[in-house]
Amino acid sequence: MSSVQPAETNTMRKYQLFIDGQWVDAESGKTFTTPNPSTGETLAEVAEADKADIDKAVAAARRALEGKWSKISARDRGRMLYKLSQLIEQHATELAQLETQDNGKPIRESLFVDLPQVAENFEYFAGWATKIEGETIPVPGDMFNYTLREPVGVCGQIIPWNFPLLMAAWKLAPALAAGNTIVLKPAEQTPTTAMELGKLIQEAGFPDGVVNILPGYGETAGAALASHPGIDKIAFTGSTEVGKLIARAAADNLTKVSLELGGKAPNIVFADADIEQAVNGAMMGIFFNQGQVCCAGSRLFVEERVKDQFLSSLKEKAEKIKVGDPLDKATLMGPQVSCEQLDRIKSYVGYARDEGATVLSGGGSPQLDEGFKNGYFFQPTIFSDVSNSMRVAQEEIFGPVVSVITFKDEDDLLKQANDTIYGLSAGIWTRDIVRAHRFAKEIHAGVVWINTYNMFNAASPFGGYKQSGYGREMGKHALEMYTQVKSVWVDLSGKPIGWFGK
Ligand code: NAI
Ligand code: MG
């Protein structure tokens, strides 16, 4: 029997908080609802965590850290993570459907991109559990010095709504592999799949209190977590604005912080590129997940010489994108996650016009069937004649909206590409390998894609330069954020201690 509630139930889904292995109501008794963004109808009613619930969960995570979890071998931690990855694979269809219903992303993305990567992350970090090792250090004299790599402790993890399950996986998997315990807060827009994941975490055999999942609002539950003195580390993915609030709140307790924040990635097309490939890459860069991607290629730099050819192909292809029912396998773009996000995107169409950019394609709501007319849909949109100083080139829009900027030569380009507060990712399209690698070195970004875009793997680190944040998720680098190093000294001489002992 499936532990995950199937997607097509007619009864309203209800979720409680997951604290200390129990499903409980919020102390306040409050709940909130989450809509299906393709219809605007309520998808689920969810218990609303607040400070009192966060306190309970942090206490449970501390007890688990110091109790049962600390006695479990690395091998068994790895086995639980591996079991979890298998359970996710078994339930991938239901989870993908629910992710699509809660977030609006097309089923072809949730089923073929999000879910496989969720499973991959747990599987990858399952392997790491037994490979987290200390070192011996060649210190002088009759001394033995070694290091222990220990868990950081109780980790608070605050998750955004754009890849709800995948962002939870990026944070949970390395933290669990390293032996930490967790209080996780999913985004209020998309709490449902994290709660289903809680059921699978229980089924995989993790002891009570190792993972606690508390949906709630950012200003209440999120802020309570970030400022909690009982938290040893806080990991956050979301807006740069909230990232700064979290860093400030954490500073009072000197809680360790990692932040994965916004971006305004340059995606750069040189005239010598394979233009059709670059057009496809530009679309993948900005229209994937309705543009709600921190590393979206939202500043599209195109070399002057190929601008006309490039833009006419981009426009033609963008206008053929099938926007609509996200549960339809043929759909390439679903709705934006929320009414707020849709309004925010619309306001940028106004800014673009005010500042003299041209709306080359899209810029409004698509015509859709009756059933979807209350959904938060927006057309694939291209702004041309953009200069890098305009708001649409400097601010993260987080929608299917690309700003096209033309350039003449490489020097001019690099200055503009780096002229942003962000530094998460960058793309380059060229057949000149020397230029490609020179660019990869000179661009200020944590990830660079050459003749490709949006490539991810659990083994490869991801994170930002500049105001895109700090810390690296995935790969062995993620383990550094979830472990701390202890240096141990042992006297091997057996002689009296010098100095005062003489
Ligand atoms: P947000 O940064 O407010 O939300 C992300 C998470 O932070 C959610 O779980 C939220 O509940 C929590 N949060 C909000 N305020 C908090 C606080 N004071 N203390 C602790 N946690 C808090 O993002 P929002 O408002 O939903 O979206 C606004 C913009 O943020 C988007 O348009 C986009 O530009 C950016 N964003 C970037 C993401 C990324 O992947 N880097 C993901 C989501 C949003
Ligand atoms: Mg917010």
Side-chain angles (χ1 to χ4, degrees):
M1 210 183 72
S2 159
S3 62
V4 175
Q5 202 180 335
E8 302 91 343
T9 65
N10 289 323
T11 52
M12 161 110 90
R13 290 168 169 271
K14 287 196 174 161
Y15 294 100
Q16 292 172 293
L17 311 178
F18 183 49
I19 302 176
D20 206 9
Q22 310 297 313
W23 295 89
V24 295
D25 290 332
E27 290 282 304
S28 68
K30 281 204 240 170
T31 60
F32 66 103
T33 56
T34 173
N36 175 336
S38 65
T39 60
E41 282 162 16
T42 301
L43 174 69
E45 184 185 282
V46 185
E48 181 190 328
D50 201 343
K51 188 174 180 315
D53 310 290
I54 295 286
D55 285 345
K56 261 170 59 182
V58 171
R62 178 68 55 191
R63 282 195 303 276
L65 181 79
E66 287 164 7
K68 218 170 164 190
W69 188 231
S70 64
K71 313 277 184 307
I72 285 176
S73 68
R75 182 184 182 201
D76 283 342
R77 285 202 310 273
R79 286 162 77 116
M80 287 174 201
L81 280 164
Y82 188 67
K83 172 117 191 263
L84 180 57
S85 79
Q86 289 183 311
L87 288 168
I88 289 162
E89 280 176 359
Q90 281 163 27
H91 294 286
T93 306
E94 302 102 279
L95 289 167
Q97 280 178 1
L98 185 57
E99 196 80 312
T100 286
Q101 288 176 312
D102 204 0
N103 165 282
K105 62 175 68 208
I107 190 73
R108 57 190 285 159
E109 290 181 16
S110 41
L111 192 57
F112 300 120
V113 181
D114 294 50
L115 261 298
Q117 289 191 28
V118 171
E120 182 199 62
N121 270 272
F122 286 111
E123 187 178 322
Y124 171 81
F125 282 104
W128 266 114
T130 48
K131 292 157 199 78
I132 299 170
E133 298 171 340
E135 327 140 273
T136 58
I137 318 285
V139 291
D142 281 340
M143 285 285 165
F144 175 43
N145 179 225
Y146 64 93
T147 62
L148 297 171
R149 199 166 261 280
E150 299 182 336
V152 173
V154 177
C155 301
Q157 302 184 328
I158 300 178
I159 306 295
W161 43 259
N162 53 344
F163 295 89
L165 260 187
L166 186 56
M167 293 302 100
W170 280 17
K171 289 187 174 32
L172 286 168
L176 291 169
N180 297 277
T181 59
I182 293 135
V183 179
L184 180 122
K185 192 199 84 65
E188 56 270 35
Q189 295 85 347
T190 55
T192 59
T193 48
M195 306 324 292
E196 296 292 351
L197 182 66
K199 298 180 191 170
L200 299 183
I201 285 170
Q202 270 186 307
E203 201 176 326
F206 289 94
D208 292 350
V210 170
V211 179
N212 306 274
I213 307 178
L214 287 81
Y217 290 95
E219 296 76 7
T220 51
L225 194 53
S227 62
H228 205 293
I231 291 278
D232 300 299
K233 183 209 155 54
I234 188 99
F236 170 76
T237 298
S239 61
T240 295
E241 185 192 346
V242 173
K244 289 177 187 177
L245 292 178
I246 285 176
R248 280 192 204 111
D252 274 343
N253 305 308
L254 292 177
T255 307
K256 292 172 179 58
V257 183
S258 57
L259 302 170
E260 202 265 90
L261 308 174
K264 197 73 195 176
N267 194 7
I268 296 161
V269 182
F270 278 95
D272 70 352
D274 176 332
I275 298 296
E276 280 319 292
Q277 278 289 83
V279 168
N280 295 339
M283 303 228 300
M284 163 54 103
I286 194 65
F287 300 134
F288 182 73
N289 204 31
Q290 294 72 241
Q292 301 166 144
V293 184
C294 46
C295 52
S298 50
R299 284 186 301 152
L300 185 57
F301 286 93
V302 181
E303 191 169 348
E304 192 76 56
R305 283 194 289 142
V306 289
K307 177 190 159 197
D308 292 343
Q309 179 196 354
F310 184 90
L311 286 186
S312 74
S313 171
L314 181 66
K315 178 176 158 69
E316 193 191 318
K317 288 193 174 180
E319 286 171 0
K320 283 198 192 129
I321 289 177
K322 186 170 157 40
V323 183
D325 180 2
L327 284 172
D328 179 343
K329 277 199 174 150
T331 295
L332 282 172
M333 268 177 50
Q336 307 307 126
V337 76
S338 66
C339 198
E340 290 75 20
Q341 284 300 121
L342 180 63
D343 289 344
R344 197 187 145 97
I345 295 163
K346 284 179 177 164
S347 66
Y348 279 95
V349 178
Y351 305 148
R353 289 203 172 105
D354 293 347
E355 290 188 289
T358 305
V359 181
L360 183 70
S361 185
S365 305
Q367 295 297 320
L368 294 174
D369 298 346
E370 192 61 14
F372 299 101
K373 73 177 188 330
N374 293 327
Y376 318 132
F377 293 88
F378 198 74
Q379 289 173 312
T381 296
I382 305 168
F383 298 147
S384 57
D385 304 314
V386 175
S387 75
N388 194 51
S389 58
M390 290 180 186
R391 285 188 75 171
V392 290
Q394 289 294 320
E395 296 175 16
E396 184 173 57
I397 303 175
F398 230 58
V401 179
V402 70
S403 296
V404 181
I405 305 169
T406 52
F407 67 94
K408 286 202 180 64
D409 59 48
E410 218 178 298
D411 284 348
D412 162 45
L413 164 80
L414 194 71
K415 235 184 273 139
Q416 294 191 67
N418 279 332
D419 182 13
T420 163
I421 59 165
Y422 298 115
L424 190 53
S425 61
I428 183 170
W429 301 83
T430 177
R431 287 188 170 107
D432 180 340
I433 59 160
V434 176
R435 172 153 64 198
H437 291 288
R438 183 167 59 234
F439 171 83
K441 203 168 164 212
E442 289 176 349
I443 192 78
H444 303 156
V447 186
V448 179
W449 289 297
I450 298 172
N451 294 332
T452 183
Y453 209 90
N454 278 346
M455 291 304 298
F456 292 94
N457 185 274
S460 180
F462 183 84
Y465 280 28
K466 303 202 276 185
Q467 290 196 33
S468 291
Y470 35 76
R472 291 292 175 271
E473 302 198 280
M474 297 195 287
K476 60 175 184 260
H477 298 81
L479 295 168
E480 282 162 24
M481 307 201 298
Y482 288 102
T483 53
Q484 51 192 346
V485 175
K486 182 180 280 174
S487 176
V488 183
W489 291 81
V490 190
D491 181 291
L492 300 178
S493 73
K495 290 185 191 141
I497 296 186
W499 227 254
F500 295 111
K502 271 193 184 134

